[in-house]
Amino acid sequence: MAFLAPILPALQVIGTVVSVVGTIQASRAQAQAQRIQAKQSELQGRQNALAYNRQALQVFERQERLAAMARARAAAGGVDPFTGSPLTIQQANALTAGREMEIARQNAQTAIYGGLAQSQSLQAAATLTQQQGLTSALSTAGMQAYQMSRTALPNTQAPAPVVERSSLYVPDRP
């Protein structure tokens, strides 16, 4: 083991550098994963919004079919489809469809905003993760440097002065 003594400080430095670089790379990788999740959240919000818009379109198309059927039945029965009960049925159907479409539009907006909020939250977390990784790496480097300075330097306290006494006796002068 004595043969390692001269290279021990170099090994400590190498170990510290590897630890610091590893910490920084790990935090960058984690931050990158969070940024990817942020993009996915934003895209998921947009996909959900498209699904709600598609639902609103289906409600509109259903309402158009119902109105056409009500007009056709009224006309087949010899009734004016644009007055009286046939018109009231069409208006009721349109009102219900309008409410459903509005709910679908609001859900689409909520999906977009929800995806964006989640995305922003993950982006902020990614930035924080990267900053924490750098702080941790710098802390590790600082602690290792301090430890190395404590072990590499001998005790710096000044030794007690040595008083030499001569063998000759010199009397004090009056």
Side-chain angles (χ1 to χ4, degrees), residues 6 9 11 16 33-34 37-38 52-53 58 75-76 83 87 89 92 100 124 128 130 132 137 145 168 172:
L11 290 175
T16 300
Q34 289 170 323
Q37 286 177 335
Y52 286 120
N53 286 333
Q58 289 170 346
T83 61
L87 180 61
I89 291 172
E100 288 179 28
L128 182 62
Q130 207 161 353
Q132 286 176 336
L168 297 174
D172 289 336

Side-chain angles (χ1 to χ4, degrees), residues 65-153:
R65 283 192 304 272
L66 288 173
M69 285 190 319
R71 285 191 299 269
R73 283 186 188 153
V79 177
D80 182 7
F82 300 107
T83 61
S85 294
L87 180 61
T88 303
I89 291 172
Q90 291 177 59
Q91 289 172 339
N93 287 339
L95 186 62
T96 301
R99 284 189 207 125
E100 288 179 28
M101 288 173 58
E102 184 57 32
I103 289 170
R105 284 191 195 118
Q106 288 174 355
N107 287 343
Q109 284 295 329
T110 301
I112 287 174
Y113 292 145
L116 288 174
Q118 181 70 18
S119 175
Q120 289 171 350
S121 175
L122 287 165
Q123 289 284 359
T127 300
L128 182 62
T129 296
Q130 207 161 353
Q131 289 172 349
Q132 286 176 336
L134 186 57
T135 300
S136 176
L138 292 175
S139 174
T140 299
M143 290 300 292
Q144 286 298 323
Y146 174 74
Q147 288 298 326
M148 287 174 58
S149 73
R150 298 276 301 167
T151 58
L153 297 176

Side-chain angles (χ1 to χ4, degrees), residues 39-54:
K39 288 289 185 191
Q40 288 173 337
S41 293
E42 187 176 341
L43 289 174
Q44 184 65 42
R46 291 182 187 279
Q47 286 175 340
N48 291 342
L50 287 173
Y52 286 120
N53 286 333
R54 188 173 26 257

